[in-house]
Amino acid sequence: MPAASPQPPVQPTPDEALQRLIAGNAAFVADAPHAPDISLQRRLELAQGQQPFATLVGCSDSRVGPEHLFGVGLGDLFIVRSAGNNVDAAGMGSIEYSVMALKVPLIIVLGHEKCGAVAAATDVCTKDARFPGSIGRMIEPILPSVIAAQRAGEDGDLVERAVEENVRRMVERLQTYSEPMLLEPQSRGELKVVGAVYELATGKVRWL
C-alpha cells in the first residue's frame, strides 16, 4: 500500500500572519533579525510546491528588501513589485493567483519613504515635469494620490503624504473594487488587506 502523501501545512489566520510580520520587523529594527531557513532541506521542500503565508505588493526600490525587513525566508512571501507599488494587469493577476491557488490569508501593500516614483509624480503635479519613455506612463496611476494629498492641505512633506495616500488607494482597490476571488474571502474573514509604509533609516514598518 503506497504511503499517504504529506498534507500541506495549514495556513495561519490573517491576524496570525500579520503578527508574524510585525514580530519579524520588530526584530529587524532591534538589529536582532531571525535567521531564515535557506538550507538545502528547505529548498528541496519548496521544489515540491510553495505555500507563502502572505502576499506583498511593494516598490522595486533596492533599499526595500521585504524578506529582510520582515525576517522571513524562502517560500514565505509571494512578492509583487513595481516602482511606486502600482499594480497593472500582470500584477493584479499575480495577486489573484496567490489568493486563489496558494490561499494566502494576508495581502500587504508596502510603500516607503522617499519613493522616487511618487516624487516624480509629485513633480508632474507641482512643476509640470515630463519624463521620457515609459516612465511617464508608469507614474500616471500615482497622480491621483498626489492630487488628493495636495487637496488635503495637511502639514508635512507632500511626497511623504502622497506615499501614504498611494498605499491607501491600493488597499481600497483590493478591498472594494477587485474580482470576487479577492472580495469573497475577505467577506468570510479568510483574507485581510493592510497597508504600511517602510521607514528607510529606522527600518520600521509603520502600519496604516
Side-chain angles (χ1 to χ4, degrees), residues 46-151:
L46 289 171
Q48 306 306 311
Q50 61 171 321
Q51 193 175 37
F53 71 88
T55 293
L56 185 137
V57 181
C59 183
S60 300
D61 195 297
S62 64
R63 298 168 293 181
V64 186
E67 290 95 344
H68 299 297
L69 62 94
F70 286 120
V72 297
L74 295 173
D76 289 329
L77 296 180
F78 191 87
I79 300 176
V80 180
R81 298 182 74 172
S82 66
N85 45 272
N86 281 316
V87 173
D88 57 10
M92 185 60 73
S94 299
I95 295 168
E96 292 170 353
Y97 170 81
S98 73
V99 173
M100 181 183 71
L102 304 178
K103 308 300 182 185
V104 298
L106 179 68
I107 299 172
I108 313 104
V109 180
L110 183 66
H112 68 93
E113 289 182 328
K114 301 179 181 178
C115 179
V118 176
T122 302
D123 284 346
V124 170
C125 292
T126 61
K127 303 175 183 178
D128 197 28
R130 295 291 183 268
F131 295 91
S134 297
I135 297 175
R137 293 190 298 275
M138 178 191 71
I139 64 177
E140 282 179 3
I142 306 175
L143 300 181
S145 297
V146 177
I147 294 169
Q150 284 179 304
R151 288 175 176 169

Side-chain angles (χ1 to χ4, degrees), residues 7-24:
Q7 295 297 312
V10 177
Q11 287 284 48
T13 67
D15 287 338
E16 288 170 345
L18 180 57
Q19 287 304 313
R20 180 174 173 183
L21 295 179
I22 291 173

Side-chain angles (χ1 to χ4, degrees), residues 171-184:
V171 169
E172 182 182 21
R173 177 180 171 188
L174 294 172
Q175 289 178 337
T176 309
Y177 304 109
S178 298
E179 296 290 334
M181 68 182 74
L182 296 185
L183 299 180
E184 290 174 0

